[in-house]
Amino acid sequence: MASAHSELVAVACNRTAHALDTTHCVAAFGAGNYVALYRPNNSVFATLRGHTDRVNCVRFVSEHVLVSGSADGTARVWTNDDGWRCTHVLEGHEGPIVALASLHVGSGMVTVTAATDGTMRVYEYETAGEEESVAAQQVISVGAHTALDVALAHVPGFSSESDAGSDAGSAIMLATGSTDGRVHIYTRHTGEFTRAVSLEGHEDWVTSVSFQRVSSSLANTSATSHWRSGDVVLASGSQDKHVRLWRIWRTQNTTVAGDADRRAAQALLDASAPGSELALRPREHEFTTQSGQFAAASDAVLEGHEAWVHSVSWGCGELVTAGADGVTLVWAGDEEGVWATRARLGADAGLLGARMGDVGVVAWSINGSLHAWTHEGDAWTPRAAPTGHFGAVRDA
């Protein structure tokens, strides 16, 4: 009796800025209307079918859960339980989904999607025993501007692990990169997201945002020694060719009633003093939520790309950026107190994004090709990556 099996899947990555993500030793990327899965040093081993139009964005929530967003206006939750399968379809958008983010909160998950219809939608995924449910919780209007990327994180001082099951565990932040050139921060303790602060500094569209929680190992250089364990650092990339780092931390309310004016006046006097360090400090944006008081400030501006920055992401405690100049940069703080490139990895065309995982860096370009590098110490070595057509195949 004759039999057949798949020997090779050859396909290119979709040419969108958030089309690929990695977790441990698996990468997932949009491939036409499908989500393709592959392992480094190997070929594509699975394709997930369900979307009816191009897959624009893919994000892993864990090793066993990923979410994909499509030009068909839906997002799909895929779960690996003895094989990948679609467990939920998130609907509601009236235009293509261009970015998404997901985060475990308590025993459930929050997913935020951004689309060209001028809205972001928030979905809540909950589990109770063997019962699972997903509900649309909120629609956030962004007006005439479009959210080009979104990211989620627990607020400084809280984490899902240490505060699981408590109200604190549901305190989360949403960051958006917008076509208005700003980074907008929303917060939610319980209920709905509300805008807390807008960070200005970029001079063009903000194309990518990525959160990183500070650990003791990350704050071990002169450039990061002022970071405290539990702080959150947000990286943002823009078409102005710059990458900015924003530190967000929990503050203590020590102001007594009626003392605000005196503090402001004293701050102006201190800042005007010759050699005052206050005169060199970046502006601190303070905001108050149900979870407490926080502040955000510009921490560093990274210059290295010669064209639009399309992607910023944290991986293995390091920052990876990719741009239209065809270069992937790996950044790290040095002992001189500045951020510098630890590696400069090139490609044959402009890059739309890059991710760092346990086995190295994977980047994808404007022509759909994938590029991969492994590293040992300071040595980076190119390795094979899946390839194929990015358009319809007409003949074989």
Side-chain angles (χ1 to χ4, degrees), residues 187-347:
T187 61
R188 190 197 82 169
H189 183 78
T190 56
E192 297 187 340
F193 282 99
T194 57
R195 185 182 294 186
V197 64
S198 295
L199 306 177
E200 299 182 353
H202 286 295
E203 298 178 352
D204 209 331
W205 292 4
V206 180
T207 54
S208 184
V209 289
S210 180
F211 279 119
Q212 173 68 38
R213 183 170 293 276
V214 176
S215 61
S216 56
S217 60
L218 189 60
N220 62 356
T221 69
S222 296
T224 60
S225 60
H226 59 290
W227 295 357
R228 298 176 300 183
S229 181
D231 290 351
V232 174
V233 176
L234 175 67
S236 60
S238 169
Q239 291 183 174
D240 64 8
K241 308 177 186 179
H242 294 153
V243 175
R244 286 181 174 267
L245 301 184
W246 312 85
R247 175 178 167 238
I248 305 172
W249 68 96
R250 179 178 292 275
T251 62
Q252 299 295 328
N253 182 17
T254 57
T255 304
V256 298
D259 196 40
D261 291 340
R262 288 193 296 275
R263 289 200 331 141
Q266 185 61 48
L268 289 174
L269 290 173
D270 293 340
S272 63
S276 170
E277 293 183 1
L278 289 174
L280 302 177
R281 290 181 183 176
R283 176 187 175 189
E284 295 181 1
H285 303 264
E286 296 183 351
F287 56 97
T288 301
T289 74
Q290 289 180 306
S291 306
Q293 290 188 315
F294 304 90
S298 177
D299 197 79
V301 180
L302 312 185
E303 297 184 359
H305 287 285
E306 298 177 357
W308 294 355
V309 177
H310 286 146
S311 170
V312 297
S313 66
W314 296 93
C316 301
E318 295 183 296
L319 179 65
V320 181
T321 64
D325 53 3
V327 173
T328 297
L329 300 178
V330 181
W331 300 85
D334 63 20
E335 296 304 323
E336 300 297 325
V338 298
W339 284 82
T341 54
R342 190 169 75 85
R344 187 180 182 90
L345 311 174

Side-chain angles (χ1 to χ4, degrees), residues 21-65:
D21 200 15
T22 60
T23 178
H24 298 291
C25 294
V26 176
F29 62 91
N33 300 352
Y34 293 74
V35 177
L37 301 172
Y38 91 96
R39 297 184 182 91
N41 301 322
N42 206 332
S43 58
V44 173
F45 67 87
T47 52
L48 310 182
R49 179 182 180 182
H51 288 294
T52 59
D53 207 337
R54 184 182 67 187
V55 176
N56 289 329
C57 43
V58 176
R59 287 292 178 268
F60 276 102
V61 188
S62 67
E63 285 187 81
H64 304 289
V65 179

Side-chain angles (χ1 to χ4, degrees), residues 23-227:
T23 178
H24 298 291
C25 294
V26 176
F29 62 91
N33 300 352
Y34 293 74
V35 177
L37 301 172
Y38 91 96
R39 297 184 182 91
N41 301 322
N42 206 332
S43 58
V44 173
F45 67 87
T47 52
L48 310 182
R49 179 182 180 182
H51 288 294
T52 59
D53 207 337
R54 184 182 67 187
V55 176
N56 289 329
C57 43
V58 176
R59 287 292 178 268
F60 276 102
V61 188
S62 67
E63 285 187 81
H64 304 289
V65 179
L66 68 87
V67 185
S68 58
S70 168
D72 63 13
T74 69
R76 288 177 176 261
V77 180
W78 308 86
T79 303
N80 183 14
D81 184 12
D82 294 329
W84 288 92
R85 63 187 179 90
C86 179
T87 53
H88 297 283
V89 179
L90 311 181
E91 300 176 312
H93 282 293
E94 298 178 357
I97 294 176
V98 295
L100 63 85
S102 290
L103 181 71
H104 280 301
V105 178
S107 61
M109 181 177 76
V110 173
T111 295
V112 177
T113 56
T116 58
D117 59 7
T119 67
M120 298 184 293
R121 289 181 175 264
V122 182
Y123 303 88
E124 193 92 19
Y125 176 101
E126 295 182 349
T127 58
E130 296 183 356
E131 297 294 326
E132 299 179 350
S133 64
V134 173
Q137 294 290 336
Q138 184 181 1
V139 179
I140 304 173
S141 175
V142 296
H145 296 283
T146 300
L148 299 178
D149 196 14
V150 292
L152 287 169
H154 292 274
V155 299
F158 290 147
S159 69
S160 58
E161 292 81 7
S162 61
D163 300 293
S166 68
D167 288 342
S170 61
I172 58 179
M173 297 186 298
L174 165 66
T176 69
S178 175
T179 55
D180 65 3
R182 298 182 178 92
V183 177
H184 301 288
I185 305 293
Y186 298 78
T187 61
R188 190 197 82 169
H189 183 78
T190 56
E192 297 187 340
F193 282 99
T194 57
R195 185 182 294 186
V197 64
S198 295
L199 306 177
E200 299 182 353
H202 286 295
E203 298 178 352
D204 209 331
W205 292 4
V206 180
T207 54
S208 184
V209 289
S210 180
F211 279 119
Q212 173 68 38
R213 183 170 293 276
V214 176
S215 61
S216 56
S217 60
L218 189 60
N220 62 356
T221 69
S222 296
T224 60
S225 60
H226 59 290
W227 295 357

Side-chain angles (χ1 to χ4, degrees), residues 339-363:
W339 284 82
T341 54
R342 190 169 75 85
R344 187 180 182 90
L345 311 174
D348 61 354
L351 294 177
L352 289 172
R355 294 288 184 273
M356 174 177 282
D358 294 339
V359 295
V361 171
V362 179

